Amino acid sequence: MSTSTAPLTVVLQRTPQQPAERPRFRPDIEGLRAVAVLAVLAFHAAVPGFAGGFVGVDVFFVVSGYLITGLLRTETANTGRVRLGEFYSRRARRLLPSAAVVLAVVAVLGALLTAPLRRADLERDVLASALSVANWRFIAEQTDYLAAGRDPSVLLHFWSLAVEEQFYLLWAPLLALAARWAWRRRTLLGLTLLLGAASFWLSLHWSAGAYLSTPTRAWQFAAGAVIALLPVRHLPRWARELLGLGGLAAVLACVLLYDGRTPYPGTAALVPTLGTAAIVLAGEQHLVGRALSLGAPRAIGRLSYNLYLWHWPVLVLAEAHWGALHWGVKVALTAAAALPALAALHWLEQPLRRSVVLGEIPRRGLSLGLTAVVFPVLLALVVGAGTIRSLGPATPPDPAGLPPGARDGHSLLAARPAANAPTVPNPVQARQDFPPDGACEVDPADTVSPPCRFGTGEDRIVLLGDSHAGQWFSAVLGIAAQHRMSVEELVKQGCPLPELQVVNPQLGRTYHECDTWRANALARIAAGPKPKLILVSALNRYTADRAALLRGWERTLAPLRELGVPIVYLQDTPIPGRDVPVCVSGHPDSTAACDFPRGEGLYADPLAEEIAAGKFPGVRSVEVNSVLCPGDGRTCPAVLEHVLLYRDDSHLTNAAAVVLTARLDQLLTEAGAFGTGGWTTLLHDEFDGPAGSRPDAATWQYDLGTCYPGCPAAQWGTGEIETMTDSTANVRLDGQGSLEIVPTRDAAGRWSSGRIESRRADLAAPAGGVLRVEAKLALPDVHGPAAAGYWPAFWALGGKLRDGYTGWPGVGELDVLESVGARGVFGTLHCGTTPGGPCQEPNGLGSGEQPCADCWGAFHTYTVEVDRSSSPERVRWLRDGREYFEVTADRVDPAAWDRAVHHGSFLILNVAVGGNLPAAYGSSPTATTEPGHPMKVASVTVSTRS
């Protein structure tokens, strides 16, 4: 054995001196462990009346501080040093093997019993627990021990073990240094009190991590250490009795009186901590000490570590498999956990602790401990890597690639998706599918929102509320863009917008920051330029007190109503109350298993009821719950039309919010949120009428044959092969609010179709204003070779063309929408002369083919705007409110621009067959082209704004 005198080596080596005297065994402390573990077990099993059982962890911390300090202090008294190698070897032999077995079992059972997404989380938890940093992992994930937002981790209880092991790693070297520098007991006691006071101060001021972090729990270890360092030898009997009885009463009172609403740890933790310290200080020769020294408490105390290790995974895995359990069942499961705990105690912990071979040389115990760490780490890496690969991509989906949402009606999407369509986002994507608003959804500790203005419009929409308002950020931003506005976001996590006093579980106390933030947000809105719209939303479950909730809303809404701007309350969305992505990951082919009860998911909304009753003048209310939880069945869906709606147990995925953009815009418009916006409607038709009837003759006229009167351009000038008719076989209403234009083919192979024009030919942008032409339509639902030759279109021609039907392209043509052969869609401006000219005729200035996989069969809103209010003037094309192409006046000769866009136009809806454009894309009609597929038009609107 080495006899090196290097400082660190001397500290770690066994010296040739007489073996150190071990501290006197305290049977009452072994019994005190029983009190601690039974309190924790009752709390975890949700036994009524034991909601404060979490204080059992505090008891363990104080006891550990006392025992470890006493052990190390006794060693320094006997040997003048601390042998760190032996100390850590003993800790490793006692603690790590039992923990490693639990971690290994959890990793394997988790792979068999839990859903894939939860399994991936679990394997990460195994890694953190094996490395004794579980508490920091849970802090990083903002896990709340008393009311976790997601399903609780199977290894959540390892946070306290991590705290203890971090204490061992830091405290033992500190005492080793104290021994080396010959610190007196009084000096060490003073240092312990100082460190304990600093830790307690930190626990009061670092709220977010106070429950789980080592620095904010160190003062409880210090409390036990102080007892071990006090120069108290004997206390009077009356003092021992008083300390014992008072201490036990304090601990039991906390177990019975504390609950999840108790701000913790904070000052509330003083009671169980000082109570435990009093019991320990009293010694064992008193009533409480003798009771704790009885056989039963001591037996449970000896089992406490292994029972603590095993009980929580048993409970959580059982609930993951069978769902929520009654507390009686949880008690039975906790009792059953005693079986593996007893096996681990008798066949693992005690043999390893008493092993002469392992105890003879410290490095053997340390090697055993290292093995106990490495084994579950490797197991977790193997299992976790396979799980993560199976979950698919983790990057949230691109909003531009999402299916378009329906603007109205009972469906979420504009077109029903294919039966085999994938779920979007997938579960692992959903976990990360947050609104892209950066730091604008401020944390609980913040009291002021940063400047969060999105978009370029001078007019703005204010989005105000908590995270349930923030979930709508993408939708509101899209709506603002459509209305040429910007968005100011004022959103704070967990902060009720109505003026209510609540306890924030992350901070562990009354949420004063919320009150300050709310006042600052309202003041900012009042001080700035008036917004055009204030959109408010919030979780509606902060209180069940209807009167208090309405009073809180009145106090918040009063200063907003004084501004005299539109206020819209967006009702809260359904609350699943379960980790939806985890559930869906376990039921990819039967997502209905993740639906949740309607009665639990949808709460009554007092504010919406009062708004409907006219109690809040100037405030309107809108909701999307009739779509998110359709019908009147007993459940609400977690996945609707292949869209995964929720990213956790209560918030919408960003994908769901994006899909709901068009609907929310429609609801806000109908609620008068944008007023008329200065818009004047020139033409509007929703094609209501009985099935098989003709479109309104006062609004529309037919084009017939193959050219205009006088045939200035045969085959409509574009080489089409169909003949246009006024037959209802080609042009008709479907009786469900849509116009159908249907290409047909007779037995001789002759094609017919329909082409209608607006009677009005004076549709023009006013000087300095805007013209908007839009239609909600679905292109013919035909694909592949069957779609060859199809050429549906919605467009506008210069009104002067009707003066003899000559002058194209100089009179101007705006193709709002064209498409051929079930491909993409086009937007084009024609002007000037042909060939060539300022608009590069005959092709025109076009967007090029824009991809739209579901445009053929799904309703979309296609829009063209002639904007004479900007400089330079411009024409822009939009699909579902999103601009995708623009032509500005500075690209065109001024005279040609004037003739093309400054004069009236008429509209055309048609489905051509064949012609130059399909031919250019290799899509001319063939024998396989299928007739009978209609273009459906739900509405056409032309409006102007001066």
Side-chain angles (χ1 to χ4, degrees):
M1 184 175 294
S2 171
T3 57
S4 169
T5 58
L8 181 59
T9 305
V10 170
V11 172
L12 292 175
Q13 292 293 330
R14 179 187 296 274
T15 66
Q17 300 177 14
Q18 180 180 350
E21 178 185 348
R22 296 182 62 81
R24 184 172 57 85
F25 176 70
R26 290 276 301 268
D28 60 313
I29 289 182
E30 192 169 59
L32 183 57
R33 283 198 176 108
V35 174
V37 77
L38 289 176
V40 172
L41 266 55
F43 168 60
H44 285 164
V47 177
F50 289 83
F54 55 84
V55 302
V57 174
D58 304 58
V59 176
F60 280 125
F61 287 167
V62 176
V63 168
S64 293
Y66 170 77
L67 292 177
I68 295 304
T69 304
L71 175 69
L72 296 173
R73 186 62 188 167
T74 299
E75 185 174 3
T76 60
N78 285 309
T79 67
R81 69 187 65 230
V82 171
R83 290 166 294 185
L84 292 177
E86 285 197 5
F87 172 77
Y88 288 129
S89 177
R90 290 193 299 269
R91 296 295 95 199
R93 296 202 313 270
R94 178 175 183 266
L95 301 176
L96 297 183
S98 294
V101 170
V102 172
L103 293 176
V105 169
V106 164
V108 174
L109 289 181
L112 298 174
L113 300 178
T114 61
L117 185 56
R118 193 171 185 187
R119 188 185 314 153
D121 291 337
L122 178 57
E123 303 309 331
R124 296 186 184 99
D125 293 345
V126 170
L127 285 171
S129 300
L131 297 173
S132 298
V133 292
N135 61 324
W136 296 109
R137 167 165 166 77
F138 297 133
I139 290 172
E141 292 188 341
Q142 297 183 331
T143 300
D144 174 17
Y145 188 67
L146 301 177
R150 296 177 180 172
D151 292 334
S153 168
V154 181
L155 298 173
L156 183 57
H157 63 319
F158 265 74
W159 78 267
S160 63
L161 305 180
V163 170
E164 287 212 27
E165 288 156 6
Q166 290 162 27
F167 165 71
Y168 300 151
L169 288 173
L170 297 174
W171 191 240
L174 182 61
L175 292 186
L177 291 175
R180 181 172 180 79
W181 293 339
W183 285 1
R184 296 182 179 180
R185 181 192 296 264
R186 186 177 302 171
T187 303
L188 190 56
L189 179 61
L191 177 63
T192 304
L193 288 169
L194 181 62
L195 292 175
S199 170
F200 182 70
W201 179 89
L202 185 61
S203 74
L204 299 179
H205 293 83
W206 184 32
S207 300
Y211 198 95
L212 302 174
S213 80
T214 306
T216 55
R217 290 291 193 159
W219 66 276
Q220 295 179 303
F221 294 96
V226 166
I227 303 301
L229 294 171
L230 282 175
V232 177
R233 297 299 181 187
H234 301 287
L235 289 173
R237 181 180 181 84
W238 65 266
R240 294 197 303 273
E241 296 291 350
L242 185 61
L243 287 170
L245 289 171
L248 184 61
V251 172
L252 294 180
C254 294
V255 171
L256 299 175
L257 299 178
Y258 285 4
D259 58 25
R261 295 168 296 181
T262 305
Y264 215 80
T267 55
L270 283 169
V271 181
T273 301
L274 295 180
T276 304
I279 296 172
V280 174
L281 181 61
E284 57 192 285
Q285 297 304 317
H286 56 95
L287 179 61
V288 171
R290 289 192 295 273
L292 294 174
S293 299
L294 295 175
R298 289 182 58 193
I300 297 173
R302 282 193 297 274
L303 188 62
S304 62
Y305 175 63
N306 284 287
L307 189 54
Y308 183 83
L309 285 175
W310 282 99
H311 84 284
W312 182 251
V314 169
L315 290 176
V316 176
L317 288 173
E319 288 203 321
H321 189 66
W322 288 302
L325 301 174
H326 184 268
W327 69 266
V329 178
K330 290 185 177 182
V331 169
L333 289 170
T334 301
L339 296 177
L342 280 167
L345 176 66
H346 291 295
W347 297 335
L348 188 65
E349 178 186 328
Q350 289 181 342
L352 292 177
R353 288 179 65 188
R354 296 168 181 170
S355 171
V356 176
V357 174
L358 291 175
E360 184 179 14
I361 301 176
R363 64 172 173 268
R364 292 175 181 170
L366 295 173
S367 298
L368 175 67
L370 180 61
T371 302
V373 170
V374 171
F375 176 66
V377 166
L378 293 177
L379 189 61
L381 289 173
V382 172
V383 176
T387 301
I388 291 171
R389 284 195 299 270
S390 70
L391 287 171
T395 304
D398 181 0
L402 295 171
R407 194 170 182 85
D408 47 32
H410 300 293
S411 297
L412 175 66
L413 300 180
R416 184 171 297 278
N420 61 350
T423 297
V424 179
N426 69 41
V428 69
Q429 289 175 319
R431 273 283 182 83
Q432 306 299 323
D433 199 20
F434 297 95
D437 54 356
C440 293
E441 186 175 311
V442 298
D443 294 331
D446 296 326
T447 57
V448 177
S449 287
C452 286
R453 188 82 174 261
F454 300 86
T456 58
E458 293 184 7
D459 295 335
R460 77 189 193 283
I461 301 173
V462 172
L463 178 61
L464 177 65
D466 62 6
S467 60
H468 281 239
Q471 70 183 355
W472 290 106
F473 170 78
S474 291
V476 176
L477 186 61
I479 292 168
Q482 294 177 37
H483 293 272
R484 303 293 180 260
M485 296 183 183
S486 59
V487 175
E488 180 180 12
E489 185 181 22
L490 296 171
V491 167
K492 182 171 175 62
Q493 297 173 2
C495 179
L497 190 55
E499 194 172 308
L500 297 169
Q501 188 174 84
V502 296
V503 172
N504 181 274
Q506 285 180 300
L507 299 176
R509 54 172 170 74
T510 300
Y511 201 1
H512 301 298
E513 291 84 352
C514 174
D515 301 325
T516 304
W517 174 87
R518 187 190 306 110
N520 288 335
L522 295 176
R524 179 186 294 186
I525 296 171
K530 282 187 180 182
K532 289 297 181 180
L533 169 65
I534 300 174
L535 185 61
V536 299
S537 189
L539 176 73
N540 68 348
R541 304 191 181 194
Y542 287 107
T543 179
D545 187 333
R546 178 186 178 95
L549 178 64
L550 291 174
R551 285 196 302 271
W553 273 116
E554 175 61 39
R555 287 191 289 267
T556 297
L557 291 175
L560 297 177
R561 291 163 60 196
E562 291 176 358
L563 297 176
V565 302
I567 302 171
V568 175
Y569 169 58
L570 178 52
Q571 296 177 36
D572 194 19
T573 47
I575 306 295
R578 65 191 302 182
D579 196 333
V580 171
V582 163
C583 181
V584 172
S585 75
H587 301 86
D589 300 320
S590 56
T591 57
C594 302
D595 296 351
F596 51 95
R598 173 185 292 271
E600 298 175 12
L602 293 175
Y603 268 29
D605 197 318
L607 178 60
E609 294 169 4
E610 295 294 293
I611 291 172
K615 301 293 181 61
F616 287 85
V619 183
R620 305 286 182 89
S621 175
V622 299
E623 57 83 22
V624 295
N625 293 344
S626 56
V627 174
L628 295 179
C629 190
D632 54 1
R634 298 176 59 187
T635 61
C636 299
V639 177
L640 183 60
E641 299 173 30
H642 296 274
V643 177
L644 203 166
L645 297 177
Y646 304 96
R647 69 174 188 253
D648 50 26
D649 63 349
S650 68
H651 297 89
L652 295 179
T653 57
N654 190 58
V658 170
V659 167
L660 286 162
T661 299
R663 182 176 300 274
L664 183 57
D665 181 41
Q666 180 70 16
L667 291 170
L668 294 174
T669 300
E670 292 173 353
F674 305 111
T676 63
W679 290 97
T680 300
T681 301
L682 304 182
L683 182 153
H684 180 70
D685 195 344
E686 295 187 348
F687 302 105
D688 294 322
S693 61
R694 297 170 178 268
D696 181 11
T699 304
W700 304 98
Q701 64 187 35
Y702 290 89
D703 290 334
L704 302 175
T706 60
C707 59
Y708 284 115
C711 292
Q715 297 179 298
W716 303 107
T718 56
E720 305 163 27
I721 65 172
E722 83 290 338
T723 298
M724 297 299 185
T725 81
D726 60 358
S727 169
T728 54
N730 297 120
V731 182
R732 60 179 178 254
L733 304 185
D734 68 356
Q736 298 179 357
S738 292
L739 170 74
E740 292 185 334
I741 301 180
V742 193
T744 60
R745 184 174 58 196
D746 64 16
R750 294 186 295 263
W751 284 89
S752 300
S753 191
R755 172 171 166 145
I756 61 173
E757 297 181 356
S758 66
R759 291 194 178 274
R760 292 191 61 168
D762 59 347
L763 307 174
V770 181
L771 170 74
R772 177 183 292 166
V773 178
E774 65 182 8
K776 180 179 180 181
L777 58 84
L779 300 177
D781 192 7
V782 59
H783 306 276
Y790 269 77
W791 183 6
F794 170 48
W795 43 308
L797 271 172
K800 290 186 176 296
L801 190 71
R802 285 182 174 170
D803 299 334
Y805 294 98
T806 58
W808 188 92
V811 294
E813 176 181 327
L814 292 171
D815 297 328
V816 187
L817 157 75
E818 290 185 283
S819 188
V820 294
R823 297 167 58 95
V825 295
F826 299 83
T828 310
L829 168 66
H830 294 279
C831 73
T833 58
T834 187
C839 283
Q840 303 171 22
E841 300 300 344
N843 295 325
L845 300 177
S847 64
E849 194 173 50
Q850 300 292 307
C852 185
D854 71 336
C855 285
W856 290 69
F859 278 98
H860 293 267
T861 299
Y862 300 90
T863 307
V864 68
E865 291 183 346
V866 178
D867 187 352
R868 300 182 63 186
S869 67
S870 63
S871 180
E873 295 180 0
R874 61 197 66 228
V875 179
R876 47 182 169 256
W877 283 257
L878 306 92
R879 184 171 74 239
D880 296 323
R882 298 180 182 176
E883 182 177 317
Y884 67 89
F885 182 55
E886 179 182 74
V887 176
T888 55
D890 53 8
R891 293 180 59 185
V892 177
D893 173 79
W897 182 267
D898 175 69
R899 289 190 64 201
V901 302
H902 290 173
H903 303 282
S905 299
F906 58 91
L907 306 184
I908 302 174
L909 287 161
N910 73 282
V911 178
V913 180
N916 300 337
L917 187 60
Y921 283 89
S923 186
S924 296
T926 67
T928 61
T929 303
E930 289 183 4
H933 295 282
M935 177 173 76
K936 295 189 174 187
V937 187
S939 64
V940 173
T941 304
V942 181
S943 51
T944 59
R945 184 176 65 188
S946 299

